[in-house]
Amino acid sequence: MFAITDTQRPSERTCMADTNPRDSRPTDAERRSAPTDTERQSARRSADGPPLSMTPFHVAGIGFLFVGFALACYQGLQGFELVPQVSWITWTHIHFVTIGAFTQLLFGTLPQLTARKLERPGPSTRAFGAVFLGLNGALLLAWYGRAYGEPLLFDVGLGTIWLLTGWLFAVVLVMVVRSEDGRARDPTVGFSLLSPFVYLVGLTLAFGLYSRGWDVPGGWYGLREAHVHANAWGFLGLAAIGTLYDLFPRLVDAELYSDRLKRYSFPLFALGIVPLVVGPVLGMGTTVTALGLGLYAAGYVLYVYTLARTYRAGTSNGTALSILVAQLWILGPASFAPFILFGVPLGIPDPWIETGALHFFFLGWALPVALAGSLLVARSLEWAPGADGGDAGDDRVAGLVPSTALPSALGPRSVLAWNLAVLAVGIGFFYQDQSWSALLHGPGYAVVLSIWGYYLVTIVDRRWSARASKRVS
């Protein structure tokens, strides 16, 4: 009837040594065999890391960052009238980072991440090679046609990019259809499927924007706004969000703060991106576009909150900090959208607001994420597509986030300097008619270009170090 407490239980004599069962201190032998903190972190980072392969896309993505850097330097000199004026510099250096570097990294990584999550075979080496040649040839055609006023070349290049994006969407879709055990229900798979689909819409709008002159209720500016929303917030944004939901926790060696918030955020993003693209085309900014903005922003708040809490629970490092802070800038354009949509005067011409907000997105969000991704790629991806995944017995790095020696090019002060410089450049665009705007533009661009250049040098150094280490081993 009555439980026997420890004080009531009779003592027993055994031949075993007397030990205190509550004493959990390990013996010397247990201490020697127990894993260290570094080993535990390595196991956590690599246990579920996707076995990724180095592809030509990753190499080209880093190459586009170098070209974009050179063009950005030229644009800076052009702003001070130190070099001849070139009309297509701004459009080119932005698109070489976004549609160039970012798209290359996503084409090389997205199918592999999805294949690993769904446990399906990914594209073959031959498929990657064919798509790589087609995509980069098409990018050159589209760029030349846009820069030098050749509509036919632009249409051929853009049409080829559209078809290859359709290939990317089809690859992910087939994996989803053939997946088993409900793995496709993961929201990150939804992001991987939705992002190339929205990109197809954005590329379609580019035909009417640059070469065909479509007559829509929203006019040319409505087409441009829809095109930017589809490509920036749709393709690049959704693909990066889904990828970071998976990879950011491993960057800080922690578990994702909340899978529930991740699940809640996906339908908000999916429902929000549709009116964000449709609204400007229809010229219904105060109703349709505003609704999409609210839904997308709500999902983004959940996403940023989840990443911030994950960062606080983990081990901080410069790469993770730069990625986390960069997430705040994707809503830079959104913070000004209500003023433009509802006609609230700010005393700044709308085109200048759009230019400054675009640079917030480009310099504040897209570029830091692309640079961080390239740094991880340069350090971690080693083997060709089609190779078997590595295990503890070989020297292949298991995933995009290295299990040891996590690379980092920036510290907290560099991250702060970068973001203050981005703010200065954006404000300089807002007030470009003021004489003091040059005092913001000049130092701001100098800081951004200095850190950008240092990042590229670090990427190359990491890559050569990784190859040298592999040769020695």
Side-chain angles (χ1 to χ4, degrees):
M1 292 177 61
F2 300 99
I4 301 176
T5 65
D6 289 342
T7 56
Q8 293 171 320
R9 192 181 306 276
S11 60
E12 298 180 3
R13 304 288 297 181
T14 69
C15 61
M16 298 176 61
D18 292 334
T19 60
N20 183 356
R22 297 182 181 178
D23 188 358
S24 60
R25 291 174 295 181
T27 65
D28 291 340
E30 290 172 335
R31 286 193 191 97
R32 287 191 294 270
S33 62
T36 64
D37 290 341
T38 301
E39 291 169 339
R40 282 192 292 268
Q41 292 175 1
S42 172
R44 185 183 301 178
R45 283 189 176 126
S46 62
D48 58 345
L52 303 179
S53 304
M54 190 72 174
T55 70
F57 290 109
H58 298 104
V59 179
I62 297 174
F64 270 106
L65 287 175
F66 274 94
V67 177
F69 172 74
L71 293 174
C73 290
Y74 190 94
Q75 184 185 14
L77 297 175
Q78 184 176 265
F80 290 96
E81 301 181 352
L82 299 175
V83 293
Q85 297 289 317
V86 180
S87 60
W88 45 259
I89 282 292
T90 299
W91 180 88
T92 300
H93 100 258
I94 290 177
H95 281 76
F96 269 30
V97 171
T98 54
I99 307 303
F102 217 119
T103 299
Q104 299 282 339
L105 294 172
L106 289 178
F107 262 75
T109 304
L110 203 61
Q112 297 189 70
L113 288 176
T114 306
R116 175 63 177 87
K117 180 170 285 291
L118 298 180
E119 298 186 3
R120 302 297 306 172
S124 65
T125 305
R126 181 173 298 178
F128 265 126
V131 173
F132 169 77
L133 293 176
L135 179 63
N136 284 275
L139 282 172
L140 291 177
L141 281 178
W143 168 79
Y144 187 88
R146 173 69 174 83
Y148 293 97
E150 298 287 345
L152 178 60
L153 294 180
F154 178 82
D155 285 350
V156 171
L158 185 61
T160 304
I161 296 172
W162 194 96
L163 292 174
L164 295 177
T165 302
W167 169 86
L168 178 63
F169 173 74
V171 165
V172 177
L173 179 62
V174 169
M175 292 184 198
V176 170
V177 172
R178 296 179 178 178
S179 64
E180 300 174 350
D181 301 329
R183 294 187 181 92
R185 297 175 184 174
D186 192 307
T188 56
V189 176
F191 283 110
S192 299
L193 188 61
L194 181 60
S195 59
F197 177 78
V198 179
Y199 192 31
L200 290 172
V201 177
L203 292 172
T204 302
L205 294 173
F207 282 105
L209 187 61
Y210 294 118
S211 63
R212 296 302 165 188
W214 291 350
D215 185 15
V216 299
W220 187 87
Y221 286 101
L223 275 177
R224 186 181 69 171
E225 184 179 352
H227 168 73
V228 171
H229 289 176
N231 288 1
W233 289 3
F235 175 52
L236 303 181
L238 294 177
I241 289 167
T243 302
L244 288 174
Y245 263 138
D246 271 358
L247 297 183
F248 189 80
R250 288 198 283 275
L251 281 175
V252 295
D253 188 34
E255 300 293 333
L256 186 68
Y257 170 71
S258 175
D259 286 318
R260 183 178 62 177
L261 292 181
K262 180 175 73 170
R263 290 194 303 271
Y264 289 167
S265 70
F266 175 71
L268 292 172
F269 283 117
L271 293 174
I273 195 61
V274 175
L276 274 174
V277 175
V278 174
V281 175
L282 299 178
M284 303 176 67
T286 58
T287 52
V288 178
T289 307
L291 173 63
L293 179 63
L295 291 170
Y296 195 100
Y300 205 80
V301 168
L302 297 182
Y303 160 71
V304 172
Y305 179 75
T306 301
L307 259 59
R309 291 298 299 267
T310 304
Y311 180 84
R312 290 187 60 186
T315 304
S316 62
N317 58 81
T319 300
L321 179 61
S322 65
I323 291 176
L324 178 62
V325 176
Q327 304 313 304
L328 303 178
W329 288 108
I330 197 173
L331 289 181
S335 61
F336 296 96
F339 297 96
I340 297 177
L341 291 176
F342 297 100
V344 179
L346 289 175
I348 306 172
D350 288 353
W352 294 358
I353 293 178
E354 293 177 358
T355 302
L358 179 62
H359 278 76
F360 282 156
F361 174 85
F362 166 64
L363 295 176
W365 179 79
L367 186 54
V369 173
L371 288 170
S374 298
L375 182 64
L376 294 175
V377 163
R379 167 63 179 84
S380 63
L381 301 181
E382 294 297 333
W383 284 35
D388 295 333
D391 55 28
D394 63 34
D395 61 351
R396 183 181 181 188
V397 178
L400 187 58
V401 179
S403 57
T404 59
L406 182 67
S408 180
L410 305 180
R413 293 182 179 178
S414 300
V415 173
L416 176 61
W418 175 283
N419 287 277
L420 289 177
V422 171
L423 180 62
V425 171
I427 294 176
F429 276 111
F430 295 153
Y431 298 97
Q432 56 190 273
D433 61 334
Q434 303 295 321
S435 60
W436 50 263
S437 65
L439 299 177
L440 296 178
H441 259 129
Y445 261 118
V447 171
V448 168
L449 291 175
S450 297
I451 297 177
W452 188 351
Y454 176 74
Y455 224 127
L456 292 176
V457 171
T458 304
I459 289 171
V460 173
D461 177 67
R462 290 285 182 175
R463 181 60 183 168
W464 282 111
S465 297
R467 292 177 65 88
S469 299
K470 185 176 181 180
R471 285 195 297 266
V472 170
S473 60

